[in-house]
Amino acid sequence: ISTAVIIICVAGGGAGFYAYHWNDVKPAAELQAALRIERPATGTWGYPSETVTLAILHFGTNRADAFPILEEATKSSNAEARKQAVSAMGMVGMPSRPKYTKFGLHGEPAPDVVPLLWKILNSNDGELSSFALFSLSGIGFQPEDIPVLAALLVRSHGNQLSLNAMTNPSVAKLNNFLSRANNDQMLQRYIPE
């Protein structure tokens, strides 16, 4: 069974139509084409988009091979391609979890994904930082990431947590727990959780 796809790309004021069959295209070309699809004016749109997600799944056990394409897209002048690339990095950097997902993520993750996502998150790039945080949370945080995340939270609120953030029950509970845990060695073992 072969599935034909027509992609409409709009760039530089002109439109182009690209048609191909999934089995005729290598995963790298498929991902590059998927990253160039512009967000529609109406309808549902997600990050990463369904087309980008499928393109990464077509890498199979070689999903780490998608990282250079995604990394290049983060430097693109196309804002949508940057957002899609950063949001898709979670799939490329996530440890193998074949039995936990419908499609399964097989193969080794790309080792350079996490450092790049932290670099984006620490760069104060308002456009991409939320996508980087989303991808990092999908990959999974480590215990040593907690102080950095806490510093980012404080930095994003001008060196003090806003009243709105503190009224959020989960943020208030976490802040209370962390302050108690600093003085209690028994509680410190729960910080990673």
Side-chain angles (χ1 to χ4, degrees):
I1 296 175
S2 178
T3 304
V5 174
I6 297 176
I7 298 176
I8 302 172
C9 292
V10 179
F17 291 90
Y18 300 94
Y20 59 87
H21 294 277
W22 289 123
N23 57 359
D24 295 338
V25 179
K26 295 187 185 242
E30 181 184 348
L31 179 57
Q32 289 168 338
L35 289 168
R36 280 186 279 212
I37 297 173
E38 288 295 322
R39 181 180 181 158
T42 60
T44 310
W45 190 249
Y47 293 97
S49 70
E50 185 177 321
T51 310
V52 170
T53 299
L54 288 173
I56 289 174
L57 290 174
H58 288 153
F59 278 89
T61 60
N62 299 321
R63 63 191 165 101
D65 293 345
F67 175 72
I69 299 164
L70 297 174
E71 182 180 32
E72 185 178 323
T74 65
K75 301 170 190 169
S76 169
S77 60
N78 182 329
E80 189 62 31
R82 288 192 304 270
K83 293 174 187 176
Q84 288 293 336
V86 174
S87 64
M89 283 191 190
M91 292 181 66
V92 176
M94 188 179 294
S96 182
R97 297 178 182 169
K99 63 182 179 180
Y100 296 116
T101 61
K102 181 179 177 183
F103 297 106
L105 290 174
H106 304 281
E108 291 300 314
D112 296 330
V113 168
V114 172
L116 179 61
L117 289 172
W118 277 109
K119 182 179 175 185
I120 292 169
L121 191 59
N122 286 314
S123 71
N124 289 324
D125 184 335
E127 175 188 58
L128 297 180
S129 61
S130 62
F131 295 104
L133 185 60
F134 172 77
S135 287
L136 282 168
S137 66
I139 293 169
F141 293 110
Q142 300 301 313
E144 60 269 14
D145 296 335
I146 291 175
V148 178
L149 291 168
L152 285 170
L153 179 65
V154 171
R155 185 177 77 196
S156 70
H157 293 286
N159 292 329
Q160 65 180 12
L161 294 174
S162 71
L163 290 175
N164 288 341
M166 287 309 294
T167 57
N168 180 319
S170 60
V171 173
K173 286 179 186 176
L174 177 62
N175 189 43
N176 183 30
F177 178 77
L178 289 175
S179 64
R180 285 186 13 237
N182 283 335
N183 299 321
D184 187 332
Q185 288 183 350
M186 290 297 289
L187 286 177
Q188 285 181 5
R189 66 190 178 109
Y190 292 107
I191 289 178
E193 295 174 20

